[in-house]
Amino acid sequence: MDPVKVGLVGCGNISSIYFQNCLRFPILKLVACADLIPERAQARAQEFGVEARSVEGILADPEIEVVLNLTIPKAHAEVALQALEAGKSAYNEKPLAITREDGRRMLELARANGVRVGCAPDTFLGAGIQTCRKLIDDGWIGEPVAATAFMTCHGHESWHPDPEFYYKVGGGPMFDMGPYYLTALVSLLGPVRRVTGEARITFPERVITSRPKYGTVIKVDVPTHVAGVLEFASGAIGTIITSFDVWHAELPRIEVYGSEGTLSVPDPNGFGGPVRLRRAGAEEWSEIPLSHGYSENSRGLGVADMAYGLRSGRPHRASGELAYHVLDIMHAFHDAACEGRHVTLESTCTRPAPLPMGLAPWTLDP
């Protein structure tokens, strides 16, 4: 199977792990990178043995089939739409876009041009959540009844070198971390039919205490505590809290409650475990051995899976449709909070297929 040539746009902090992992998958051939700051692209190119180019140079290369878009969130749509216009498939870092309108434009353009859209997070393809998926599908907790998900911290201004965007449109805890939790929940329980929620800004200003912007005051423009209720199409009910307003908490990441037991799901911002199960009548929790590979940091799995799809014709799992459904859910929480109502979602998606067991390292099809 011929490898799929990839051009990477956006050489910031997260790009390093993508470079490392894309070079490990035989299905991928990362050939070029670009960044608004040419020196960053040059540094990454030298570090990983690829060519530094302009964005225009990547888009003009007829051999590049996929643009891996690791730009900042507000640039996700612009870069992806340029790639799709050029007849290339686009794989975005999360979120898919800032607005529903841009997300829909991507999907429509991809369909019109016969190419694909993919999007992070791909952590749900890791060993931990794939093990949970198998346990649910095999009936270990019976019929899923409900789920809870919690992401609480006190924001990123104490450690991130440039945290302002976390508090502007496209940021906040729901748009920053919500994609990990919601993508995991949709992978485990299927699409969502309806949501409601509440949201608030607790601290109108934040002071950066990290370097190099120590002392800078950030005006907060987006909700920093969001609580949502999800009605899944399956009938299960979900509860989610994402917050940058919590100093300390003792909460699970994700739990799924079934008619015959409870499943403790590992951190959806990682790829491994632990996975814990407690069936009805059990006196204690049992840690379940991981059934799948990719327990280490495997960012790029979704790109590789899309490449397999391009070669074989099968659907890819970290799809644009899934990412758009998650984007729609996140906006719907904010809409519900502003308007004081339930919001019925216009979008849906197919629950992504589970990964096969027993895959050879750095492969995704048997």
Side-chain angles (χ1 to χ4, degrees):
M1 190 179 291
D2 292 335
V4 172
K5 290 188 177 180
V6 177
L8 185 153
V9 178
C11 297
N13 288 340
I14 201 171
S15 68
S16 177
I17 190 63
Y18 277 97
F19 273 103
Q20 294 173 46
N21 288 338
C22 284
L23 293 170
R24 289 170 173 157
F25 281 104
I27 191 65
L28 299 175
K29 187 172 183 180
L30 184 54
V31 297
C33 65
D35 194 274
L36 282 175
I37 303 172
E39 292 79 11
R40 288 207 302 197
Q42 290 284 355
R44 289 295 195 211
Q46 184 173 1
E47 182 180 1
F48 292 102
V50 302
E51 183 180 345
R53 300 183 192 174
S54 65
V55 175
E56 293 75 17
I58 287 175
L59 296 178
D61 187 337
E63 294 191 353
I64 290 177
E65 296 180 63
V66 172
V67 171
L68 174 53
N69 180 12
L70 306 182
T71 56
I72 60 174
K74 68 180 181 181
H76 285 178
E78 179 184 358
V79 172
L81 288 166
Q82 289 176 356
L84 298 168
E85 287 280 9
K88 303 182 188 305
S89 296
Y91 186 95
N92 281 7
E93 242 304 322
K94 55 82 185 169
L96 178 67
I98 300 299
T99 69
R100 291 181 175 106
E101 292 74 21
D102 281 340
R104 285 195 294 267
R105 287 175 61 203
M106 285 184 222
L107 300 185
E108 290 165 1
L109 186 56
R111 283 192 290 267
N113 288 351
V115 292
R116 298 193 182 205
V117 175
C119 188
D122 54 10
T123 47
F124 75 97
L125 299 175
I129 293 175
Q130 286 297 304
T131 300
C132 294
R133 171 68 181 266
K134 180 170 174 53
L135 289 167
I136 290 172
D137 289 354
D138 289 352
W140 281 86
I141 63 168
E143 177 188 355
V145 173
T148 55
F150 301 99
M151 192 300 299
T152 60
C153 68
H154 210 267
H156 303 327
E157 63 271 23
S158 66
W159 64 269
H160 195 282
D162 191 16
E164 186 171 1
F165 73 94
Y166 287 112
Y167 301 99
K168 301 300 179 182
V169 174
M174 182 54 71
F175 277 73
D176 176 39
M177 296 299 293
Y180 295 109
Y181 290 77
L182 293 169
T183 302
L185 288 172
V186 172
S187 172
L188 295 173
L189 300 175
V192 175
R193 179 187 295 126
R194 189 173 71 148
V195 308
T196 191
E198 293 291 345
R200 61 175 285 167
I201 297 173
T202 302
F203 306 98
E205 293 182 342
R206 300 268 179 151
V207 179
I208 299 175
T209 56
S210 61
R211 302 290 179 182
K213 295 189 174 183
Y214 183 91
T216 301
V217 176
I218 304 169
K219 180 180 179 295
V220 177
D221 294 334
V222 292
T224 49
H225 187 99
V226 182
V229 177
L230 309 97
E231 177 189 324
F232 289 86
S234 66
I237 298 170
T239 304
I240 184 170
I241 292 175
T242 62
S243 183
F244 286 165
D245 297 343
V246 174
W247 285 107
H248 308 289
E250 292 182 338
L251 293 165
R253 304 288 188 169
I254 297 176
E255 290 183 342
V256 180
Y257 312 109
S259 58
E260 298 178 23
T262 297
L263 181 63
S264 174
V265 180
D267 184 354
N269 192 17
F271 289 82
V275 173
R276 299 190 305 140
L277 176 71
R278 188 167 178 179
R279 287 170 59 82
E283 294 185 357
E284 58 185 22
W285 292 87
S286 298
E287 184 166 340
I288 306 299
L290 300 179
S291 58
H292 289 67
Y294 301 108
S295 61
E296 70 281 8
N297 188 345
S298 302
R299 278 175 169 79
L301 267 176
V303 187
D305 188 61
M306 188 165 78
Y308 275 101
L310 287 169
R311 289 291 178 263
S312 69
R314 68 160 173 80
H316 59 288
R317 295 171 174 88
S319 68
E321 289 74 17
L322 171 60
Y324 180 77
H325 188 51
V326 168
L327 179 67
D328 194 18
I329 294 168
M330 295 191 297
H331 274 292
F333 286 137
H334 285 194
D335 294 344
C338 289
E339 299 166 15
R341 66 183 180 95
H342 283 80
V343 176
T344 299
L345 298 172
E346 296 180 3
S347 69
T348 188
C349 67
T350 302
R351 187 183 181 213
L355 281 177
M357 295 175 61
L359 293 171
W362 306 109
T363 65
L364 288 170
D365 280 356

